[in-house]
Short mmCIF file of all heavy atoms in Angstrom, two decimals:
data_model
loop_
_atom_site.label_atom_id
_atom_site.label_comp_id
_atom_site.label_asym_id
_atom_site.label_seq_id
_atom_site.Cartn_x
_atom_site.Cartn_y
_atom_site.Cartn_z
N GLY A 165 77.28 3.56 -108.46
CA GLY A 165 77.59 3.91 -109.74
C GLY A 165 77.24 5.40 -109.98
O GLY A 165 77.91 6.11 -110.65
N ALA A 166 76.14 5.94 -109.44
CA ALA A 166 75.65 7.20 -109.73
C ALA A 166 76.68 8.33 -109.19
O ALA A 166 76.69 9.33 -109.70
CB ALA A 166 74.27 7.48 -109.10
N VAL A 167 77.39 7.97 -108.09
CA VAL A 167 78.41 8.90 -107.49
C VAL A 167 79.78 8.65 -108.28
O VAL A 167 80.36 9.60 -108.72
CB VAL A 167 78.55 8.58 -106.02
CG1 VAL A 167 79.66 9.41 -105.52
CG2 VAL A 167 77.30 8.95 -105.34
N MET A 168 80.11 7.42 -108.35
CA MET A 168 81.47 7.09 -108.92
C MET A 168 81.62 7.60 -110.33
O MET A 168 82.61 8.03 -110.84
CB MET A 168 81.90 5.60 -108.82
CG MET A 168 82.09 5.13 -107.36
SD MET A 168 83.58 5.92 -106.69
CE MET A 168 84.09 4.88 -105.45
N SER A 169 80.55 7.58 -111.09
CA SER A 169 80.62 7.95 -112.56
C SER A 169 80.87 9.46 -112.69
O SER A 169 81.27 9.90 -113.69
CB SER A 169 79.29 7.47 -113.26
OG SER A 169 78.13 8.17 -112.64
N ARG A 170 80.54 10.21 -111.57
CA ARG A 170 80.71 11.67 -111.67
C ARG A 170 82.07 12.13 -111.05
O ARG A 170 82.39 13.26 -111.05
CB ARG A 170 79.61 12.31 -110.90
CG ARG A 170 78.27 12.17 -111.52
CD ARG A 170 77.12 12.50 -110.54
NE ARG A 170 77.16 13.74 -110.03
CZ ARG A 170 76.67 14.16 -108.82
NH1 ARG A 170 75.92 13.34 -108.05
NH2 ARG A 170 76.80 15.37 -108.30
N ASP A 171 82.75 11.18 -110.49
CA ASP A 171 84.02 11.43 -109.72
C ASP A 171 85.13 11.30 -110.71
O ASP A 171 85.79 10.35 -110.81
CB ASP A 171 84.18 10.44 -108.52
CG ASP A 171 85.38 10.94 -107.67
OD1 ASP A 171 86.00 11.99 -107.96
OD2 ASP A 171 85.65 10.22 -106.64
N LEU A 172 85.43 12.48 -111.45
CA LEU A 172 86.43 12.44 -112.52
C LEU A 172 87.67 13.15 -112.19
O LEU A 172 88.05 13.25 -110.95
CB LEU A 172 85.82 13.14 -113.78
CG LEU A 172 84.39 12.52 -114.29
CD1 LEU A 172 83.69 13.31 -115.28
CD2 LEU A 172 84.54 11.08 -114.71
N ASP A 173 88.42 13.76 -113.11
CA ASP A 173 89.64 14.44 -112.80
C ASP A 173 89.30 15.78 -112.34
O ASP A 173 88.28 16.23 -112.36
CB ASP A 173 90.53 14.48 -114.00
CG ASP A 173 89.77 15.15 -115.26
OD1 ASP A 173 89.11 14.38 -115.97
OD2 ASP A 173 89.95 16.35 -115.40
N VAL A 174 90.34 16.48 -111.80
CA VAL A 174 90.23 17.80 -111.12
C VAL A 174 89.53 18.82 -112.10
O VAL A 174 88.57 19.61 -111.71
CB VAL A 174 91.56 18.36 -110.63
CG1 VAL A 174 91.31 19.73 -110.10
CG2 VAL A 174 91.89 17.43 -109.42
N ALA A 175 90.00 18.89 -113.30
CA ALA A 175 89.50 19.87 -114.20
C ALA A 175 88.01 19.57 -114.58
O ALA A 175 87.37 20.61 -115.05
CB ALA A 175 90.32 19.79 -115.56
N ARG A 176 87.53 18.48 -114.46
CA ARG A 176 86.08 18.20 -114.70
C ARG A 176 85.24 17.94 -113.36
O ARG A 176 84.17 17.33 -113.42
CB ARG A 176 85.97 17.04 -115.62
CG ARG A 176 86.49 17.29 -117.09
CD ARG A 176 86.31 16.09 -117.94
NE ARG A 176 87.09 14.82 -117.46
CZ ARG A 176 86.83 13.62 -117.78
NH1 ARG A 176 85.82 13.31 -118.62
NH2 ARG A 176 87.58 12.64 -117.40
N MET A 177 85.90 18.35 -112.29
CA MET A 177 85.24 17.95 -110.92
C MET A 177 83.93 18.63 -110.79
O MET A 177 83.77 19.87 -110.88
CB MET A 177 86.24 18.28 -109.87
CG MET A 177 85.67 18.04 -108.41
SD MET A 177 85.21 16.23 -108.25
CE MET A 177 86.72 15.42 -108.60
N ASP A 178 82.86 17.88 -110.39
CA ASP A 178 81.59 18.27 -109.99
C ASP A 178 81.75 18.72 -108.52
O ASP A 178 81.91 17.89 -107.60
CB ASP A 178 80.57 17.14 -110.16
CG ASP A 178 79.19 17.55 -109.81
OD1 ASP A 178 78.99 18.34 -108.73
OD2 ASP A 178 78.27 16.98 -110.37
N VAL A 179 81.61 20.04 -108.19
CA VAL A 179 81.90 20.41 -106.84
C VAL A 179 80.90 19.83 -105.90
O VAL A 179 81.26 19.51 -104.75
CB VAL A 179 81.77 22.01 -106.74
CG1 VAL A 179 81.97 22.51 -105.32
CG2 VAL A 179 82.94 22.56 -107.60
N GLU A 180 79.59 19.62 -106.20
CA GLU A 180 78.63 19.10 -105.31
C GLU A 180 79.07 17.57 -105.00
O GLU A 180 78.89 17.15 -103.90
CB GLU A 180 77.22 19.07 -105.95
CG GLU A 180 76.62 20.45 -106.06
CD GLU A 180 75.21 20.41 -106.56
OE1 GLU A 180 74.69 19.35 -106.85
OE2 GLU A 180 74.63 21.50 -106.56
N LEU A 181 79.60 16.95 -106.03
CA LEU A 181 80.13 15.60 -105.82
C LEU A 181 81.26 15.64 -104.83
O LEU A 181 81.34 14.72 -103.96
CB LEU A 181 80.50 14.98 -107.19
CG LEU A 181 81.06 13.50 -107.24
CD1 LEU A 181 82.39 13.34 -106.89
CD2 LEU A 181 80.10 12.57 -106.44
N TRP A 182 82.23 16.43 -105.01
CA TRP A 182 83.36 16.61 -104.10
C TRP A 182 82.93 16.82 -102.66
O TRP A 182 83.42 16.07 -101.71
CB TRP A 182 84.20 17.74 -104.59
CG TRP A 182 85.41 18.18 -103.66
CD1 TRP A 182 85.35 18.91 -102.61
CD2 TRP A 182 86.68 17.71 -103.91
NE1 TRP A 182 86.58 19.02 -102.07
CE2 TRP A 182 87.37 18.23 -102.77
CE3 TRP A 182 87.37 16.92 -104.70
CZ2 TRP A 182 88.85 18.04 -102.65
CZ3 TRP A 182 88.70 16.61 -104.55
CH2 TRP A 182 89.39 17.20 -103.51
N ASP A 183 81.96 17.63 -102.49
CA ASP A 183 81.47 18.00 -101.22
C ASP A 183 80.78 16.85 -100.52
O ASP A 183 80.81 16.53 -99.31
CB ASP A 183 80.47 19.20 -101.18
CG ASP A 183 81.26 20.53 -101.50
OD1 ASP A 183 82.50 20.59 -101.31
OD2 ASP A 183 80.53 21.53 -101.85
N LEU A 184 80.02 16.10 -101.33
CA LEU A 184 79.32 14.90 -100.78
C LEU A 184 80.33 13.82 -100.34
O LEU A 184 80.13 13.24 -99.25
CB LEU A 184 78.53 14.29 -102.02
CG LEU A 184 77.94 12.84 -101.66
CD1 LEU A 184 76.91 12.91 -100.50
CD2 LEU A 184 77.25 12.32 -102.87
N VAL A 185 81.36 13.60 -101.16
CA VAL A 185 82.35 12.59 -100.72
C VAL A 185 83.09 13.00 -99.52
O VAL A 185 83.23 12.22 -98.68
CB VAL A 185 83.29 12.28 -101.97
CG1 VAL A 185 84.39 11.42 -101.59
CG2 VAL A 185 82.52 11.75 -103.29
N MET A 186 83.47 14.24 -99.45
CA MET A 186 84.20 14.74 -98.24
C MET A 186 83.24 14.61 -97.03
O MET A 186 83.75 14.31 -95.95
CB MET A 186 84.74 16.16 -98.47
CG MET A 186 85.75 16.27 -99.60
SD MET A 186 87.20 15.23 -99.32
CE MET A 186 87.81 15.15 -101.05
N ALA A 187 82.00 14.99 -97.18
CA ALA A 187 81.14 15.01 -96.10
C ALA A 187 80.91 13.54 -95.53
O ALA A 187 80.89 13.36 -94.35
CB ALA A 187 79.76 15.53 -96.47
N VAL A 188 80.72 12.67 -96.32
CA VAL A 188 80.49 11.22 -95.89
C VAL A 188 81.85 10.56 -95.32
O VAL A 188 81.87 10.08 -94.33
CB VAL A 188 79.92 10.38 -97.11
CG1 VAL A 188 79.84 8.84 -96.54
CG2 VAL A 188 78.59 10.85 -97.48
N VAL A 189 82.96 10.68 -96.18
CA VAL A 189 84.15 9.97 -95.77
C VAL A 189 84.81 10.67 -94.65
O VAL A 189 85.25 10.08 -93.65
CB VAL A 189 84.97 9.77 -97.01
CG1 VAL A 189 86.35 9.17 -96.58
CG2 VAL A 189 84.35 8.97 -98.06
N LEU A 190 85.09 12.04 -94.82
CA LEU A 190 85.87 12.71 -93.77
C LEU A 190 85.03 13.23 -92.56
O LEU A 190 85.34 12.93 -91.43
CB LEU A 190 86.72 13.81 -94.39
CG LEU A 190 87.91 13.36 -95.25
CD1 LEU A 190 88.55 14.56 -95.97
CD2 LEU A 190 88.87 12.60 -94.44
N ARG A 191 84.06 14.04 -92.97
CA ARG A 191 83.19 14.54 -91.83
C ARG A 191 82.49 13.41 -91.06
O ARG A 191 82.34 13.40 -89.92
CB ARG A 191 82.26 15.52 -92.47
CG ARG A 191 81.05 16.05 -91.46
CD ARG A 191 80.06 16.87 -92.14
NE ARG A 191 78.92 17.19 -91.31
CZ ARG A 191 78.79 18.28 -90.72
NH1 ARG A 191 79.73 19.14 -90.67
NH2 ARG A 191 77.68 18.50 -89.87
N GLY A 192 81.93 12.39 -91.80
CA GLY A 192 81.36 11.31 -91.24
C GLY A 192 82.09 10.49 -90.22
O GLY A 192 81.72 10.21 -89.18
N ASN A 193 83.44 10.21 -90.54
CA ASN A 193 84.23 9.49 -89.78
C ASN A 193 84.77 10.32 -88.57
O ASN A 193 84.99 9.82 -87.50
CB ASN A 193 85.43 8.81 -90.43
CG ASN A 193 85.03 7.55 -91.20
OD1 ASN A 193 84.71 6.59 -90.60
ND2 ASN A 193 85.00 7.57 -92.56
N MET A 194 85.00 11.63 -88.83
CA MET A 194 85.41 12.48 -87.80
C MET A 194 84.30 12.62 -86.68
O MET A 194 84.51 12.46 -85.51
CB MET A 194 85.61 13.98 -88.25
CG MET A 194 85.98 14.92 -87.25
SD MET A 194 84.47 15.80 -86.47
CE MET A 194 83.77 16.67 -87.82
N LEU A 195 82.99 12.56 -87.23
CA LEU A 195 81.94 12.75 -86.30
C LEU A 195 81.76 11.46 -85.53
O LEU A 195 81.36 11.39 -84.34
CB LEU A 195 80.57 13.01 -87.01
CG LEU A 195 80.39 14.47 -87.49
CD1 LEU A 195 79.20 14.60 -88.41
CD2 LEU A 195 80.38 15.50 -86.36
N GLY A 196 81.91 10.30 -86.21
CA GLY A 196 81.84 9.01 -85.55
C GLY A 196 82.80 8.93 -84.40
O GLY A 196 82.46 8.50 -83.27
N CYS A 197 84.01 9.32 -84.59
CA CYS A 197 85.11 9.33 -83.63
C CYS A 197 84.70 10.23 -82.43
O CYS A 197 84.81 10.00 -81.23
CB CYS A 197 86.53 9.73 -84.14
SG CYS A 197 87.14 8.50 -85.37
N LYS A 198 84.26 11.59 -82.84
CA LYS A 198 83.88 12.57 -81.78
C LYS A 198 82.85 11.99 -80.87
O LYS A 198 82.93 12.20 -79.66
CB LYS A 198 83.38 13.74 -82.57
CG LYS A 198 82.86 14.75 -81.60
CD LYS A 198 82.28 16.05 -82.32
CE LYS A 198 81.65 17.05 -81.36
NZ LYS A 198 81.12 18.24 -82.08
N HIS A 199 81.79 11.35 -81.39
CA HIS A 199 80.72 10.87 -80.59
C HIS A 199 80.89 9.51 -79.87
O HIS A 199 80.19 9.22 -78.91
CB HIS A 199 79.36 11.04 -81.28
CG HIS A 199 78.96 12.33 -81.62
ND1 HIS A 199 78.21 13.05 -80.76
CD2 HIS A 199 79.31 13.19 -82.67
CE1 HIS A 199 78.03 14.27 -81.21
NE2 HIS A 199 78.67 14.34 -82.37
N VAL A 200 81.77 8.72 -80.37
CA VAL A 200 81.96 7.36 -79.80
C VAL A 200 83.16 7.43 -78.80
O VAL A 200 83.12 6.66 -77.75
CB VAL A 200 82.35 6.36 -80.87
CG1 VAL A 200 82.76 4.99 -80.32
CG2 VAL A 200 81.02 6.13 -81.74
N ILE A 201 84.13 8.21 -78.93
CA ILE A 201 85.20 8.36 -78.08
C ILE A 201 84.84 8.48 -76.59
O ILE A 201 85.37 7.82 -75.66
CB ILE A 201 86.26 9.41 -78.50
CG1 ILE A 201 87.12 8.76 -79.74
CG2 ILE A 201 87.19 9.77 -77.39
CD1 ILE A 201 87.96 9.77 -80.30
N PRO A 202 83.84 9.39 -76.19
CA PRO A 202 83.43 9.51 -74.82
C PRO A 202 82.86 8.22 -74.32
O PRO A 202 83.12 7.88 -73.15
CB PRO A 202 82.35 10.62 -74.89
CG PRO A 202 82.68 11.42 -76.05
CD PRO A 202 83.24 10.49 -77.06
N SER A 203 82.16 7.50 -75.16
CA SER A 203 81.64 6.13 -74.75
C SER A 203 82.78 5.28 -74.40
O SER A 203 82.82 4.48 -73.46
CB SER A 203 80.74 5.51 -75.77
OG SER A 203 79.93 4.42 -75.33
N MET A 204 83.86 5.22 -75.32
CA MET A 204 85.01 4.28 -75.09
C MET A 204 85.77 4.77 -73.88
O MET A 204 86.18 3.87 -73.14
CB MET A 204 85.90 4.41 -76.34
CG MET A 204 85.32 3.78 -77.57
SD MET A 204 86.55 3.82 -79.02
CE MET A 204 85.68 2.83 -80.19
N ARG A 205 85.97 5.95 -73.57
CA ARG A 205 86.59 6.54 -72.41
C ARG A 205 85.84 5.99 -71.09
O ARG A 205 86.44 5.59 -70.12
CB ARG A 205 86.74 7.93 -72.38
CG ARG A 205 87.74 8.49 -73.37
CD ARG A 205 87.92 9.97 -73.35
NE ARG A 205 88.54 10.35 -71.98
CZ ARG A 205 88.90 11.58 -71.68
NH1 ARG A 205 88.80 12.52 -72.53
NH2 ARG A 205 89.46 11.79 -70.51
N SER A 206 84.62 5.98 -71.29
CA SER A 206 83.75 5.57 -70.08
C SER A 206 83.86 4.07 -69.79
O SER A 206 83.79 3.59 -68.68
CB SER A 206 82.30 5.91 -70.17
OG SER A 206 81.60 5.08 -71.16
#
């Protein structure tokens, strides 16, 4: 709730909130793929 309540429309966007969401959802999953794919290939 503390995150979602701050995730509003673009004109009211909290940039720190934007960066947090992108870091967890996009960066986090990219890093997961990056580090697990070598294990899968082996």
